[in-house]
Structures are given as structure tokens and as C-alpha cells.
Amino acid sequence: MMAPRVVVVGSANMDLVGLAPTLPRPGETVLGDDFVMAPGGKGSNQAIAAARAGGATTFLGAIGSDAFGVTLGARLSAAGVDTSRVRTSYGASGVAVIMVDRAGENSILVSPGANRTFTGLSDEEQAVIAGADVLLCQQEIPMETVHAALRAGRAGGTRTILNAAPARDLPPGLLDEVDLLVVNEIEARAITGGEASDMGTLLAVVPRVVLTLSGAGARYADRDGRDEHVPAFPVQAADTTAAGDAFTGALAVAWGEGRDLLDAVRWANAAGAACVRRVGASGALPERAEIDELYNS
């Protein structure tokens, strides 16, 4: 079977991760356990996750002209991601400051840097999107770029996935271009204006929805009447930072391979579970063999 062609349009950040017994409250200083610096960003993470899960993956985004930008590009390339169309913007790369407690919970502050400059998709970038099997977008870059990418995917017959994270106001018509929406409970409430469990409201604007439920797994629903809970795989969590990105990248690959979406969600759950067993973002994203091993267990 040929690897599905996955295009990820999104952000690339350098993650500065501090590990501590507890997360600090406002005005509080906590003595930490350790510090890790690693490439991250939702777009970059999901591109690496898709590549490691077996997708022929291309990343479209922007990195800075600083040392962080060099490292971000090198990590993507080392993971097998096609970076030939990544833009370099003069100035700072995106940075995420992440605090993780001993229970694996985290708090994250993102400074967009070069990601803010990723606007105006070129004809070549739109052609790359239109030629893919699956397009995967998130919301850490300008929303007009997200909308343009989704339109290019829809025009080319590419399956489109929007991971609506972080929660933001959506431009009118953007969800009309989405084939599959992936949200957590906070992001779902931002779209419905009500309960996260209100699948009816979500399905009124997109044909398929995956609601991620952290340690409880995920819920899949579509306009064909399916609405099922998919349990998580029980593992010992060390860090949940990139779990959602591992899940979403693997989901894109599984759907691109032609799997039924309910089975694709189960496989993506295995990817998320494999990820949380290690500390970090891109370095914790699992290879396909790890996902299969957990899935088959």
C-alpha cells in the first residue's frame, strides 16, 4: 500500500519545557525538577506525527531566521517531512513556554513569531494542497491562511481536517470547507456556544466530528447517524503535551489510507497513548510500529 499524501499547514515553535512538582499559580514561583528545549508547534508536531505514522508528509509554514529556525527545519527533515516549501521569515521563530507537573498536566504560553507572517498562499502551495490525499490544519497561524488552505483542499478534492486548536473566532464560511473537525471539549464549546457534548450543533456545520476526551479516549459522530465513544488505551502518562498532535497526525494518515473513520480514531487513540509515555513534544511522537503494537494489544 502506498503511503497517503498528507499536507500539514500550520505552526512551528521551539518548545521551552519546565518540569515541576506542581504548576505555579498566579504570582507564585515553583522550584522545578528539570528543563527541556525541543522543536514543537501544533503544525510541526502533527507533520512529524503523520510522517512517523507512515504518511508521505509535506509541511507548509514559516520559521524564523534565528537559530531556533535552523533547529525546527532540521527536526522536520530528520523525521522524514518534506520541508522544501517551508518559508523563512526574517526575525524570531515561534516559541512555546510549557510547564508540566508530575501528574503530566501542562500549562502553555505561545509567542507566534514567524508563524504570524505565514499569509498569502502561493499558487504552488495551493497546488501542493490540491494534490494531497489529506489536508490537516490547526489554528496557531493567521486564520485567513487556514481558510485559504481549506478552500484549496476542497477545490482539489482533498479530504480536509481542521483541528480547531487553540479555540479562536472562525471566519464566516470556514467550516463549510471542513470534512472532519477534531476538537477537545473547550474548542467544541467555543464553536457551539453551549455544551461540548452537543454533537447535533457541530454536525449542523461539519459532516464528521471527533471530540477528544483526554484520558477517556474520544467520541466520533457523523451525519450518517454514527455516534460512538472510543475508549483510551491505559498507559502511565509522563507528559500529555503532544498527545493531541500525535492523535491528529495519526488520524490523518489512517483516513488517508482508507480506514473507516471509527477504526481510524481507535488507531489514533493508540498514537496518543504511546506519546504520553515520554516527556516532550516532537521527541515523544511515536513511530508506526509503536502505534501498531499498542493498537494490537
Side-chain angles (χ1 to χ4, degrees):
M1 180 175 62
M2 289 184 60
R5 296 164 297 170
V6 178
V7 172
V8 179
V9 175
S11 61
N13 297 321
M14 182 61 74
D15 288 347
L16 310 178
V17 185
L19 309 177
T22 60
L23 298 178
R25 293 167 295 185
E28 180 184 17
T29 298
V30 173
L31 187 62
D33 295 328
D34 204 354
F35 173 77
V36 178
M37 185 172 70
K42 295 197 74 65
S44 176
N45 285 347
Q46 291 180 14
I48 292 172
R52 290 182 178 170
T57 306
T58 299
F59 178 66
L60 300 179
I63 56 177
S65 58
D66 55 2
F68 285 169
V70 174
T71 304
L72 291 169
R75 174 59 64 90
L76 284 160
S77 297
V81 176
D82 180 355
T83 61
S84 59
R85 296 171 182 85
V86 173
R87 302 182 190 180
T88 299
S89 175
Y90 180 78
S93 297
V95 172
V97 180
I98 304 170
M99 294 176 290
V100 183
D101 68 17
R102 289 177 182 170
E105 292 300 320
N106 63 72
S107 181
I108 304 173
L109 170 71
V110 176
S111 176
N115 298 301
R116 192 182 286 117
T117 72
F118 185 39
T119 57
L121 290 181
S122 68
D123 290 344
E124 183 181 10
E125 288 167 333
Q126 293 181 60
V128 170
I129 292 168
D133 296 308
V134 179
L135 167 69
L136 175 55
C137 297
Q138 323 78 32
Q139 299 184 167
E140 285 185 342
I141 58 174
M143 291 305 297
E144 60 266 29
T145 306
V146 176
H147 199 173
L150 291 168
R151 283 197 300 265
R154 176 57 58 84
T158 302
R159 291 175 172 178
T160 59
I161 302 175
L162 174 64
N163 177 206
R168 297 176 65 179
D169 291 335
L170 304 182
L174 182 144
L175 291 175
D176 294 339
E177 314 293 347
V178 175
D179 293 318
L180 174 62
L181 178 69
V182 179
V183 286
N184 64 19
E185 293 175 288
I186 294 172
E187 295 146 8
R189 282 194 291 269
I191 293 172
T192 66
E195 292 297 319
S197 58
D198 185 5
M199 285 296 196
T201 299
L202 291 171
L203 290 173
V205 291
V206 292
R208 305 166 190 85
V209 177
V210 173
L211 177 66
T212 59
L213 302 169
S214 189
R219 180 180 172 190
Y220 172 74
D222 60 32
R223 289 177 179 169
D224 294 330
R226 290 196 292 181
D227 188 346
E228 297 192 36
H229 174 244
V230 184
F233 290 81
V235 294
Q236 182 64 46
D239 180 7
T240 61
T241 299
D245 296 332
F247 175 96
T248 309
L251 180 65
V253 171
W255 199 24
E257 290 175 344
R259 298 193 192 207
D260 176 81
L261 264 171
L262 199 57
D263 183 57
V265 171
R266 291 192 182 99
W267 196 68
N269 270 352
C275 177
V276 303
R277 296 185 292 193
R278 292 191 290 270
V279 172
S282 59
L285 299 167
E287 299 284 350
R288 187 181 184 96
E290 298 176 74
I291 302 171
D292 284 338
E293 181 181 8
L294 195 54
Y295 174 80
N296 292 325
S297 67

